[in-house]
Amino acid sequence: MIRQKQIKAATGIKPRSSHIAKRNMALVSKSNKRETKETASAIHSPEQDKDLKPETCSSEGDDSSEDGKEKAETECQEKTLPKKDGKDDKNSASDAASSPAKVAGGAGGGGAASKSATVAEEDLLHDVGFFVTIKPPSGDSFEIQVSSLELVQEIHQLLMDREDTSHRTCFSLYLDGAKLDNFAELKTISGLKEGCVLHIKENAYTIREARIHVRHVRDLLKSLEDMDAYNGAECASLAFLNIVTQGDIVEKKRSTVESVDCTPPDYILPGCKERPLVPLQPYNKDTRTPPCLKILTTSAWNPPPGPRKLQGDLLYLLLVTAEGYHCHITASPWGFYLNQSTTEEFNPKPATPCYLSHSLVDLLNQVSLTFKRNFALLQKKRLMRHPLERVPCPYQVFAWSAPSLPHTVDAIRAEDAFSSKLGYEEHIPGQTRDWNEELQTTRELPRRTLPERLLRERAIFKVHSDFVAAATKGAVAVVDGNVMAINPGEDSKMQMFIWNNIFFSLGFDVRDHYKEVGGDAAAFVAPRNDLQGVRVYSATDTEGLHTLGTVVVDYRGYRITAQSIIPGILEREQEQSVVYGSIDFGKTVETHSKYMDLLQKAGEHLKVLPHKVLNDKGEEVELCSSVECKGIIGNDGRHYILDLLRTFPPDVNFLNLKSEIDYPAACKKLGFPISHQHKLSTLRQELVDAFVDHRYMMFLKFAAIQLQQLTAKTSDPVKLQQLKAVDEEKKAEEEPVTEQSAQKDGKKVKDNKEIEAEEAKKIVENVTESIAAEKQVEENTRDIIKKASAAVGSLKESDFDIRFNSDVFSPGVKHADANGTRFKKERQLVVDAAEFLVSVQLPSMVHDLTDHSSAPTDGPSLCEVMHSRGINVRYLGKLADMLAKIPELGYAHSIAVLEIVFRSVKHILAKYIQGVESITMSSGITHFLNCLLCTGVPRVNVSKTDELLSKKKRKKNGNSLPEWSSLTPRSLWQQIKQECKAYFGFELTTDSIDACVEKYGLQKISLLRSVCLRCGIQLKLRDYFSRSTELLTEDDLINVFPIVKHINPRASDALNLYTAGQTKIQQGLLKDGYELISESLNLLNNVYGAMHPEIAQCLRMMARLNYIMGEYTDAMCYQQKAVLMSERVNGIDHPYTITEYTHLALYCYANQQVSVALKLLYRARYLLLLVSGPKHPEVSLVDSNIGLILYAVGQYSLSLTFLENSLALNKIFFGEKSLKVALSYHLVARTQSCLGDFRSALRNEKETFTIYKSELGMNHEKTKESDECLRHLTQQAVVMAKKLSEAYNGKPNNQFGLPPIQIQAPARCSVLEMLNVINGILFVHISPAEIEKVKEELEKGSSDQSKLEKLALLGEKDVPEKSSSKKDEVYKQEEDTKESKVNGIDETCDKENEPPVPVEVR
């Protein structure tokens, strides 16, 4: 675990001056509102989760005097981890299981440390826990568990969260009469061991401590409210899992079938058209806060006058109790007491009685009996909540809908709103933070050993999250007009701002800077491109090269760029500051040797090519970036780069360059080039990497064939002819994959290419080794490499070199060798990359969607899939046209069209809002939404502004309406159609929302959700679309939130461990993989704290592994945390959250919590209907789960409704002959047989048998099972028919001795097994004896087909067998590409469902 002391020490390693070092230490270690006392609760409370152990920093209750901080600084610097040289870690993956620290060590690139450093790493991962006794000033003693690596301050945090000590903030801990240092690690305290007694002693208050205490009491009183989550404040967010499940599922007892409540809400039943919004945020009356008091606020008599200040008065409070009693309170060094002041008269003398108490809560307990009773109840309810419901998120998550909330009196909220500082910064020495110094200092921390890397990554993440919060707050203040511009005399669009040491600029074309590349449209996208450049250069982590802290905020139609400030840049002119690059798009260009060295190091990772350009004097200048990239050396001596908007090569498909280049046929076929709104369109890093890999494979294959021919030329002429024939085939296969072939044979081509790539690598290695010994053929080898290099367009003749010149098509840039062969090659590479996107990446993505290896749920998830392949969002129109041709991808086509419409709406809305005055903002936005979602012309309501005018002025204004009110549904949809065509090249053929919904299968509620969620609009939580004429009123708009874009610092060692764990799991070594994933989880908590999306993903993997190994209870516990965390950090209706709900339902059913499992699935289905609509593969999966569980509890009619809907959806998505459809037919048949409808069951089971017979053959196990089932159903159908005939004819029942009808109740184990199959989990039952037998056969070198099949069952992925046959389709369902893919893995286990036997086949 990262220790705060170590962070403080590390932050001051390279101080620029003593006061900067002192300030930075305090700031990095200081707890902000992201890591409060709630975090400590997640570590220490008895019901907490041990694997979620967040970093807890110093709090508001610590001793932060200057002397104390200097003392802490000195001690921290003395105890910094030692630095030792080490060698590169070359251990294999198998060593990783035994030593996770080694695997983590490989991620940092610095190599493993020496023996002492290794011990430190192990110590870091495995600390020692023990119990100590706490003795408070009053009340009983109690024991707590602590860690040897914790700080004393973390015990403070714990005590401030416990029910019996939460009212104390100003105290110190003593051991044997000696005061403990807040920043000391427990292992460094002599005499502290198991069973020691720590005494709590109250300290005297200062003004700061008194204010902190009042704030803490206020936080306790509001701890059950969700006000901050709805308002988007304090990094609070919503979570509804425990409300959905009606309590903590871990504490629930297993339910019996008789007690299961199976009734689903009407709005989630198949066929229901209603999409209510109210169930999105279920209300739980138990969360209501009991009224403890009416008002607790600072008094208007503050500050204390001089005489009273000299008598110890610190501040005054006004209290109104729940009983209505008004009183004034004085805060003094000894505590709080009542004084004799009133609202009209100031009398600070103590009242009689004064109730002097060190804690404000103790005073309130004596003043008000209602407070005493309700506060105790509140404390119990607060501690009953899951720790993950209380821990703040690293970044603010905003809710797009909220109930109407009362606005109460809160002086602390008012103080924060009008303060120019952030949180507790007014209490920090040095006041405002130097963000740039903090961001750069944390990146300069050492990173050779695992502890050092953890310290560094933790500090980077902490400072970055603080910077994002500050930048967001500042951007909102700028747009709201709360910050004065540094150039107030200029036009508002050209103004710039500085607030809290952060520089803010607006996304407009200032002084025609972007005139030649698109004007305001280019200025709007430039910050986004610049942010991508900052992200990739930060990811390279090049030592000595610095980027600025950058955050892009969209708020009320404006795009604000927030950046940290380079030291000294405001003191110089821009021309004097820039030592590298150009400030005028290539007219004057500078270069710098140091920058060239640094950028070449980074360029090796980013595939950036050094190139020469001409300046205005005709001189050659060498650059290793685009000309817009600027290098500035700050006053601190650091080398900064900024304006990274053209880091990657341009996308020629969106640049009209017909006069300069000849566009490939594949591009012309799709209508390229397209004249875009701006000329800043660039390719993505993912595409550049994929293109280079593709060309490298071509290079290897070409060289391999030529080398084989060279070796065979002198030995075997016949073999030479064969190789030439193979060579021709290879060349034919290298032709670009067309759209049609990618859809039909894409997977086969892909698999073949992967095999060929491996073969080519081996051939090149083997042949080059043999040729090296023969000098006479060395020249021929060079010729082969030259031919291969030329074939793939390499920039070097004798080696593979594919890099990109970002300036090849930049307007205004003069190149040194504009007519040379090399420059033409550089241009051709950029053209080839754009062709690769169109001819390979787009078709392969369509193929993957057809293959259902990924199934996006909404627009953002579709864009994620596109980005992972390097496809820009501007290609959405072309993707939608491709999807429209494939019927089974109708759901993906609808998502693509919805995303195109939404993004067009977003572009229009940004310009629209800029023209709306703040006083009519609610009316303007609701008018826009009404025009978007209604067909009739909405009524324009500006009555609220008329209320402010006198009758005379109202009459004078007459019927004048604002300009924005002229918008109508027809005019808006015309604008949307134009934007779809201009930006995405998509022809929207409808003129209204209703026609669009009808033609493309969209949902109004899904469009409304997208607009609100991603444009920062918050609506009142109520059911919309019930009124046809007008959808919203101005009272329905609650708030407008900022949309924030920023980079995401990564935990590299944790990611390395996670990847190693996945590798082990795929090899069948579950226990080893489990250990690695568990260690990855620990490191993630060390770096990110308790809450982060990557931690949620890791928790989900842990849950799945526990489930596969038979630990159902542990699986449910881990998955519960994954759901809560996903709700908190991703959103309550995010696609990942829906997936987490589905997985938790499976684990709850395995733990016999049937009712809870159904509630979770109902919730998942509701969210899916809200987000993506009823026709989606995930809906089919959820319906199968619901139907099976209802079938298990005997609700056959209800079960049949869901299973038949799942069958209908599977037919659409997978085809009539799919094995998934066969399984659905079988499930429907089983349910119908239980209802006694044997005729229908027989018909459906025949369909199952027909599919199995045609796809798998008569001898397959599944075909035989279906045949047996058919016979049974036929027999039962005959019995039923005869019994009905007997009843009709009045004959006795058993006259002919007919057997009774057999309707067997489903067994729980068989239902669970079928649930596993549906959810993509297959347990292969195999005995240890069979495993040993396979091992022996392998050792003997046997390679017949039967052994290969056995190896495939054991999970060996490299066996050349058709493992992706249709047989496996029943069992494997891959999850989203970003999630951990355990679903498709065949795991081995014995017949008693014990943990699988891990097998590693050599």
Side-chain angles (χ1 to χ4, degrees):
M1 180 187 296
I2 295 181
R3 300 276 60 84
Q4 189 171 34
K5 177 187 292 187
Q6 295 167 335
I7 294 178
K8 286 169 67 68
T11 310
I13 286 176
K14 293 184 179 179
R16 304 288 162 184
S17 63
S18 59
H19 74 278
I20 290 179
K22 189 182 302 181
R23 181 186 67 236
N24 284 338
M25 285 188 186
L27 289 174
V28 175
S29 64
K30 192 72 181 173
S31 167
N32 74 343
K33 298 184 180 181
R34 221 160 262 87
E35 292 178 320
T36 60
K37 50 201 171 292
E38 309 291 0
T39 308
S41 159
I43 304 176
H44 292 284
S45 62
E47 68 273 18
Q48 87 208 35
D49 308 295
K50 293 182 181 178
D51 55 350
L52 281 174
K53 205 162 190 183
E55 168 67 15
T56 310
C57 298
S58 64
S59 76
E60 55 271 29
D62 62 342
D63 178 17
S64 58
S65 65
E66 287 295 327
D67 294 339
K69 289 198 174 294
E70 288 177 5
K71 178 182 176 182
E73 175 186 342
T74 305
E75 290 186 5
C76 293
Q77 288 176 335
E78 291 172 355
K79 296 176 183 178
T80 306
L81 286 171
K83 307 172 186 176
K84 300 214 176 184
D85 296 328
K87 298 178 181 179
D88 292 340
D89 184 8
K90 298 181 180 179
N91 293 334
S92 64
S94 61
D95 298 330
S98 60
S99 180
K102 292 180 181 179
V103 178
S114 59
K115 185 175 180 179
S116 61
T118 306
V119 171
E121 293 179 10
E122 296 294 337
D123 185 43
L124 182 73
L125 296 175
H126 305 98
D127 52 0
V128 179
F130 57 94
F131 287 88
V132 296
T133 301
I134 302 295
K135 176 62 179 173
S138 60
D140 298 331
S141 301
F142 54 88
E143 279 192 343
I144 62 170
Q145 185 178 9
V146 296
S147 164
S148 61
L149 293 179
E150 286 180 3
L151 298 177
V152 174
Q153 184 58 41
E154 295 182 64
I155 303 180
H156 276 251
Q157 298 282 10
L158 164 66
L159 296 176
M160 289 167 60
D161 192 65
R162 278 185 64 95
E163 180 181 359
D164 45 358
T165 55
S166 62
H167 58 287
R168 303 183 185 279
T169 61
C170 187
F171 62 90
S172 296
L173 292 175
Y174 285 76
L175 175 64
D176 298 332
K179 182 180 176 181
L180 302 183
D181 178 14
N182 280 350
F183 296 112
E185 288 186 352
L186 299 189
K187 66 179 181 180
T188 64
I189 300 174
S190 60
L192 185 60
K193 56 186 179 180
E194 180 82 24
C196 283
V197 179
L198 298 180
H199 292 266
I200 298 177
K201 292 191 178 181
E202 298 166 344
N203 294 337
Y205 283 101
T206 62
I207 295 179
R208 173 180 175 275
E209 293 290 350
R211 293 179 65 189
I212 286 173
H213 184 79
V214 174
R215 182 182 288 267
H216 177 69
V217 172
R218 173 257 197 184
D219 290 342
L220 289 177
L221 294 175
K222 294 182 175 295
S223 57
L224 292 185
E225 297 180 2
D226 289 325
M227 188 78 71
D228 287 339
Y230 288 119
N231 291 334
E234 308 292 342
C235 288
S237 56
L238 300 170
F240 294 104
L241 173 62
N242 288 336
I243 297 177
V244 171
T245 58
Q246 297 178 353
D248 194 327
I249 58 174
V250 178
E251 300 174 0
K252 285 180 178 288
K253 296 180 179 178
R254 295 179 176 179
S255 56
T256 59
V257 175
E258 292 79 12
S259 64
V260 174
D261 178 16
C262 307
T263 309
D266 292 339
Y267 53 81
I268 71 143
L269 289 173
C272 181
K273 302 281 186 182
E274 294 181 12
R275 298 289 180 266
L277 189 59
V278 174
L280 178 62
Q281 298 177 9
Y283 177 70
N284 186 5
K285 58 185 178 182
D286 293 336
T287 60
R288 286 188 300 180
T289 306
C292 297
L293 45 80
K294 290 184 178 179
I295 296 175
L296 177 63
T297 182
T298 52
S299 170
W301 295 115
N302 282 306
R308 291 305 305 175
K309 191 174 181 181
L310 296 176
Q311 296 181 44
D313 289 6
L314 302 176
L315 57 89
Y316 303 121
L317 303 174
L318 171 64
L319 169 69
V320 181
T321 66
E323 297 89 350
Y325 173 56
H326 289 64
C327 55
H328 289 253
I329 299 173
T330 299
S332 71
W334 289 356
F336 298 83
Y337 61 87
L338 299 182
N339 62 40
Q340 299 180 27
S341 296
T342 63
T343 306
E344 295 83 14
E345 181 183 358
F346 177 65
N347 184 358
K349 294 182 179 179
T352 305
C354 67
Y355 301 117
L356 175 64
S357 305
H358 191 270
S359 167
L360 183 58
V361 172
D362 290 339
L363 170 64
L364 297 176
N365 280 336
Q366 297 178 76
V367 172
S368 171
L369 292 177
T370 304
F371 178 89
K372 184 176 182 179
R373 179 179 63 254
N374 289 349
F375 185 75
L377 180 62
L378 182 148
Q379 287 282 71
K380 290 179 180 177
K381 285 188 175 183
R382 181 176 67 88
L383 294 174
M384 285 172 60
R385 299 181 72 182
H386 196 281
L388 291 181
E389 294 181 277
R390 311 194 318 245
V391 177
C393 298
Y395 306 110
Q396 186 65 58
V397 177
F398 299 101
W400 67 276
S401 61
S404 297
L405 299 171
H407 195 61
T408 58
V409 175
D410 189 341
I412 293 176
R413 182 189 65 223
E415 179 186 357
D416 290 345
F418 291 104
S419 169
S420 62
K421 305 176 185 65
L422 201 65
Y424 294 116
E425 289 171 17
E426 62 268 29
H427 308 302
I428 296 178
Q431 299 298 315
T432 55
R433 300 171 67 167
D434 188 344
W435 292 109
N436 187 73
E437 181 64 23
E438 290 186 47
L439 290 166
Q440 311 308 333
T441 301
T442 51
R443 287 200 169 271
E444 290 171 345
L445 295 178
R447 47 184 139 167
R448 290 179 297 108
T449 65
L450 175 60
E452 287 177 347
R453 286 194 300 277
L454 289 176
L455 289 171
R456 178 176 181 268
E457 290 173 349
R458 175 60 181 155
I460 289 173
F461 179 75
K462 182 69 172 62
V463 172
H464 174 74
S465 58
D466 287 356
F467 176 72
V468 171
T472 305
K473 186 176 180 181
V476 171
V478 164
V479 177
D480 288 342
N482 201 22
V483 181
M484 185 175 179
I486 60 177
N487 54 341
E490 300 192 31
D491 184 76
S492 60
K493 291 184 178 181
M494 301 173 66
Q495 290 179 347
M496 295 169 284
F497 307 84
I498 292 179
W499 180 87
N500 201 4
N501 277 337
I502 304 174
F503 177 78
F504 297 90
S505 58
L506 301 177
F508 298 105
D509 187 13
V510 180
R511 298 183 180 89
D512 293 335
H513 188 65
Y514 294 98
K515 184 178 180 180
E516 295 182 5
V517 291
D520 280 346
F524 192 80
V525 300
R528 182 198 63 198
N529 287 7
D530 183 38
L531 183 64
Q532 291 297 324
V534 171
R535 178 182 64 82
V536 295
Y537 273 104
S538 298
T540 62
D541 216 0
T542 305
E543 194 168 349
L545 188 64
H546 298 268
T547 56
L548 299 182
T550 305
V551 176
V552 178
V553 181
D554 291 331
Y555 178 64
R556 281 176 50 177
Y558 294 92
R559 171 158 288 181
I560 308 100
T561 304
Q563 293 175 308
S564 60
I565 301 173
I566 299 176
I569 193 173
L570 299 176
E571 304 165 8
R572 297 172 283 179
E573 294 294 332
Q574 191 176 25
E575 293 81 1
Q576 300 172 345
S577 302
V578 176
V579 298
Y580 174 89
S582 173
I583 61 171
D584 48 14
F585 284 92
K587 294 178 183 177
T588 57
V589 189
E590 302 288 339
T591 190
H592 193 280
S593 58
K594 179 65 174 179
Y595 273 101
M596 285 299 298
D597 293 340
L598 294 172
L599 289 172
Q600 282 182 12
K601 291 178 183 177
E604 292 176 1
H605 301 282
L606 304 179
K607 313 296 187 296
V608 177
L609 178 71
H611 57 279
K612 293 181 179 180
V613 299
L614 299 177
N615 60 16
D616 52 352
K617 298 177 182 178
E619 301 169 344
E620 289 189 2
V621 179
E622 187 176 15
L623 299 175
C624 192
S625 64
S626 64
V627 292
E628 294 88 0
C629 175
K630 300 172 184 60
I632 298 177
I633 302 177
N635 286 354
D636 54 2
R638 297 187 179 104
H639 293 75
Y640 295 91
I641 53 171
L642 57 156
D643 289 351
L644 306 172
L645 58 156
R646 276 183 171 163
T647 300
F648 294 106
D651 186 355
V652 296
N653 289 332
F654 288 85
L655 296 175
N656 199 342
L657 302 171
K658 291 182 180 178
S659 59
E660 299 182 41
I661 60 173
D662 183 19
Y663 280 86
C667 298
K668 291 179 180 178
K669 183 180 178 182
L670 290 179
F672 293 113
I674 295 175
S675 296
H676 206 43
Q677 297 175 353
H678 57 81
K679 297 180 181 179
L680 296 182
S681 302
T682 60
L683 301 175
R684 293 185 63 85
Q685 183 190 18
E686 297 90 342
L687 183 91
V688 170
D689 293 339
F691 176 74
V692 173
D693 291 343
H694 176 76
R695 286 293 173 98
Y696 185 61
M697 289 301 105
M698 288 175 57
F699 174 80
L700 282 179
K701 292 171 190 175
F702 188 94
I705 296 300
Q706 296 294 323
L707 287 171
Q708 278 188 327
Q709 290 178 2
L710 177 63
T711 55
K713 191 175 291 185
T714 56
S715 57
D716 190 351
V718 178
K719 186 176 180 182
L720 179 60
Q721 293 299 323
Q722 293 175 350
L723 287 171
K724 286 184 178 180
V726 172
D727 188 20
E728 295 299 323
E729 294 177 6
K730 301 280 186 185
K731 288 181 180 179
E733 288 178 5
E734 289 301 333
E735 293 296 322
V737 183
T738 62
E739 177 184 340
Q740 184 177 3
S741 64
Q743 293 172 8
K744 292 182 178 179
D745 305 314
K747 188 168 185 178
K748 184 176 180 181
V749 171
K750 184 179 176 182
D751 293 341
N752 289 341
K753 285 189 175 181
E754 288 177 357
I755 296 171
E756 291 165 5
E758 293 300 321
E759 291 176 352
K761 284 181 183 179
K762 293 178 181 177
I763 292 170
V764 172
E765 290 171 1
N766 295 335
V767 176
T768 50
E769 285 177 4
S770 61
I771 288 178
E774 303 177 18
K775 296 182 181 178
Q776 64 271 19
V777 292
E778 189 174 345
E779 289 299 325
N780 293 332
T781 309
R782 288 177 183 168
D783 291 340
I784 289 171
I785 300 299
K786 283 183 180 180
K787 289 179 182 178
S789 299
V792 298
S794 174
L795 296 175
K796 290 183 181 178
E797 291 185 358
S798 58
D799 195 7
F800 177 82
D801 182 20
I802 299 291
R803 287 179 291 171
F804 294 93
N805 178 355
S806 302
D807 289 329
V808 284
F809 295 111
S810 296
V813 178
K814 299 177 182 178
H815 297 272
D817 187 21
N819 298 319
T821 307
R822 180 179 174 85
F823 185 71
K824 291 180 180 177
K825 278 187 176 182
E826 293 173 5
R827 282 196 161 196
Q828 189 59 42
L829 276 178
V830 175
V831 175
D832 290 348
E835 182 194 14
F836 175 76
L837 189 156
V838 170
S839 61
V840 177
Q841 296 299 87
L842 267 174
S844 65
M845 178 181 170
V846 173
H847 170 264
D848 282 351
L849 291 173
T850 309
D851 197 36
H852 300 286
S853 56
S854 61
T857 309
D858 60 356
S861 56
L862 177 66
C863 293
E864 280 184 12
V865 178
M866 293 175 66
H867 288 164
S868 67
R869 296 184 172 278
I871 304 171
N872 304 83
V873 171
R874 56 181 171 270
Y875 286 91
L876 258 175
K878 304 303 178 185
L879 178 65
D881 292 339
M882 291 180 178
L883 295 173
K885 301 173 184 177
I886 307 173
E888 60 265 32
L889 291 182
Y891 77 94
H893 180 250
S894 297
I895 292 173
V897 173
L898 181 67
E899 185 68 7
I900 292 171
V901 171
F902 156 70
R903 287 181 175 270
S904 301
V905 169
K906 184 177 72 168
H907 299 162
I908 299 167
L909 180 61
K911 298 176 183 177
Y912 173 88
I913 295 182
Q914 291 175 20
V916 180
E917 296 181 5
S918 58
I919 197 169
T920 58
M921 186 63 68
S922 60
S923 299
I925 294 177
T926 52
H927 178 73
F928 183 92
L929 293 176
N930 283 329
C931 290
L932 175 65
L933 298 168
C934 297
T935 52
V937 179
R939 178 175 57 90
V940 178
N941 188 356
V942 290
S943 58
K944 294 294 178 70
T945 56
D946 290 343
E947 293 172 2
L948 302 175
L949 302 176
S950 63
K951 290 184 179 179
K952 186 176 180 181
K953 290 184 177 179
R954 215 177 301 170
K955 187 176 181 180
K956 184 178 178 180
N957 288 344
N959 295 324
S960 62
L961 292 173
E963 185 179 347
W964 53 262
S965 63
S966 61
L967 186 74
T968 64
R970 184 174 182 82
S971 65
L972 175 58
W973 276 92
Q974 286 300 321
Q975 292 183 54
I976 293 173
K977 288 176 66 176
Q978 293 172 7
E979 187 70 15
C980 290
K981 181 64 177 176
Y983 200 94
F984 299 101
F986 181 74
E987 203 72 54
L988 191 68
T989 57
T990 55
D991 294 322
S992 67
I993 180 64
D994 292 336
C996 195
V997 166
E998 182 69 26
K999 179 171 183 177
Y1000 298 108
L1002 310 184
Q1003 291 189 132
K1004 288 185 179 181
I1005 188 66
S1006 299
L1007 180 58
L1008 178 64
R1009 171 185 175 270
S1010 294
V1011 172
C1012 292
L1013 187 64
R1014 298 161 65 189
C1015 292
I1017 298 172
Q1018 188 182 58
L1019 296 179
K1020 182 188 293 184
L1021 185 69
R1022 71 169 179 85
D1023 295 336
Y1024 295 95
F1025 308 107
S1026 57
R1027 289 175 282 180
S1028 58
T1029 56
E1030 188 176 1
L1031 179 67
L1032 298 101
T1033 65
E1034 58 268 23
D1035 292 331
D1036 289 324
L1037 188 69
I1038 291 181
N1039 209 341
V1040 177
F1041 289 128
I1043 303 298
V1044 186
K1045 300 179 179 70
H1046 56 85
I1047 66 173
N1048 291 297
R1050 304 297 300 273
S1052 56
D1053 292 292
L1055 181 62
N1056 194 58
L1057 278 173
Y1058 188 83
T1059 306
Q1062 284 185 310
T1063 303
K1064 289 289 183 184
I1065 294 166
Q1066 290 172 358
Q1067 293 172 354
L1069 305 175
L1070 290 187
K1071 290 185 178 179
D1072 293 344
Y1074 184 88
E1075 289 179 5
L1076 289 169
I1077 299 293
S1078 179
E1079 291 295 349
S1080 172
L1081 181 60
N1082 290 335
L1083 297 189
L1084 287 171
N1085 280 300
N1086 278 322
V1087 174
Y1088 296 137
M1091 301 286 291
H1092 196 272
E1094 290 180 15
I1095 299 178
Q1097 176 182 336
C1098 197
L1099 286 169
R1100 182 216 246 193
M1101 173 70 97
M1102 294 286 289
R1104 181 54 61 97
L1105 288 174
N1106 274 288
Y1107 181 77
I1108 290 172
M1109 295 190 296
E1111 301 291 340
Y1112 295 155
T1113 304
D1114 289 344
M1116 186 174 67
C1117 293
Y1118 276 111
Q1119 190 62 28
Q1120 179 199 33
K1121 289 180 278 185
V1123 174
L1124 282 171
M1125 197 171 297
S1126 184
E1127 283 188 309
R1128 295 288 315 283
V1129 300
N1130 293 322
I1132 57 174
D1133 54 353
H1134 194 278
Y1136 290 171
T1137 303
I1138 300 172
T1139 304
E1140 307 294 6
Y1141 265 106
T1142 309
H1143 287 197
L1144 182 58
L1146 174 63
Y1147 306 153
C1148 285
Y1149 182 81
N1151 282 279
Q1152 299 182 25
Q1153 294 192 21
V1154 183
S1155 180
V1156 171
L1158 283 171
K1159 289 173 183 175
L1160 292 168
L1161 288 170
Y1162 293 158
R1163 172 73 172 175
R1165 193 178 204 278
Y1166 166 72
L1167 294 176
L1168 277 171
L1169 293 176
L1170 195 70
V1171 172
S1172 60
K1175 293 184 178 180
H1176 193 275
E1178 285 294 318
V1179 176
S1180 171
L1181 176 65
V1182 171
D1183 282 356
S1184 296
N1185 281 273
I1186 293 174
L1188 259 177
I1189 295 178
L1190 289 172
Y1191 167 79
V1193 296
Q1195 298 288 328
Y1196 302 125
S1197 298
L1198 204 52
S1199 169
L1200 191 61
T1201 304
F1202 287 96
L1203 290 176
E1204 286 179 338
N1205 189 64
S1206 176
L1207 172 60
L1209 292 176
N1210 283 337
K1211 285 181 181 179
I1212 296 173
F1213 302 133
F1214 304 103
E1216 294 282 350
K1217 299 300 181 182
S1218 167
L1219 297 182
K1220 287 183 180 291
V1221 173
L1223 182 59
S1224 293
Y1225 272 123
H1226 175 66
L1227 295 176
V1228 170
R1230 283 173 58 175
T1231 310
Q1232 288 171 335
S1233 68
C1234 291
L1235 284 169
D1237 186 2
F1238 292 105
R1239 181 173 295 179
S1240 299
L1242 196 59
R1243 184 177 64 251
N1244 286 313
E1245 189 61 39
K1246 281 181 180 178
E1247 294 284 350
T1248 302
F1249 177 77
T1250 303
I1251 296 173
Y1252 281 155
K1253 182 180 177 182
S1254 63
E1255 300 296 321
L1256 304 177
M1258 273 303 297
N1259 296 326
H1260 193 272
E1261 179 186 355
K1262 288 294 176 184
T1263 313
K1264 293 177 180 178
E1265 288 178 3
S1266 181
D1267 187 32
E1268 183 66 29
C1269 187
L1270 271 176
R1271 280 197 221 118
H1272 175 74
L1273 288 174
T1274 304
Q1275 179 187 359
Q1276 295 299 308
V1278 170
V1279 172
M1280 174 65 80
K1282 290 185 177 179
K1283 283 187 175 290
L1284 289 174
S1285 177
E1286 290 172 7
Y1288 183 75
N1289 295 324
K1291 295 182 180 180
N1293 286 339
N1294 287 323
Q1295 181 178 354
F1296 300 102
L1298 295 173
I1301 299 172
Q1302 298 176 0
I1303 301 178
Q1304 295 180 348
R1308 177 183 164 275
C1309 59
S1310 65
V1311 172
L1312 184 60
E1313 183 179 348
M1314 191 59 66
L1315 282 171
N1316 290 333
V1317 170
I1318 289 174
N1319 289 281
I1321 305 171
L1322 174 64
F1323 292 93
V1324 181
H1325 302 292
I1326 185 167
S1327 65
E1330 290 172 317
I1331 294 172
E1332 292 299 326
K1333 185 177 180 181
V1334 174
K1335 281 186 176 182
E1336 291 175 4
E1337 290 171 346
L1338 279 174
E1339 290 172 0
K1340 293 177 182 177
S1342 180
S1343 59
D1344 59 359
Q1345 186 62 25
S1346 63
K1347 300 178 184 65
L1348 291 175
E1349 291 175 358
K1350 291 179 182 177
L1351 284 174
L1353 288 175
L1354 292 173
E1356 180 66 31
K1357 300 301 179 185
D1358 297 330
V1359 177
E1361 187 205 17
K1362 297 179 181 179
S1363 58
S1364 58
S1365 65
K1366 293 183 179 180
K1367 172 183 175 182
D1368 295 329
E1369 186 181 343
V1370 182
Y1371 311 114
K1372 296 185 179 180
Q1373 175 178 347
E1374 294 187 10
E1375 298 177 358
D1376 185 81
T1377 53
K1378 286 197 74 176
E1379 299 298 321
S1380 51
K1381 294 188 178 180
V1382 183
N1383 274 5
I1385 300 172
D1386 297 350
E1387 305 295 352
T1388 60
C1389 76
D1390 61 19
K1391 295 183 180 180
E1392 284 76 30
N1393 279 338
E1394 291 182 359
V1397 182
V1399 178
E1400 182 177 13
V1401 183
R1402 302 271 179 200

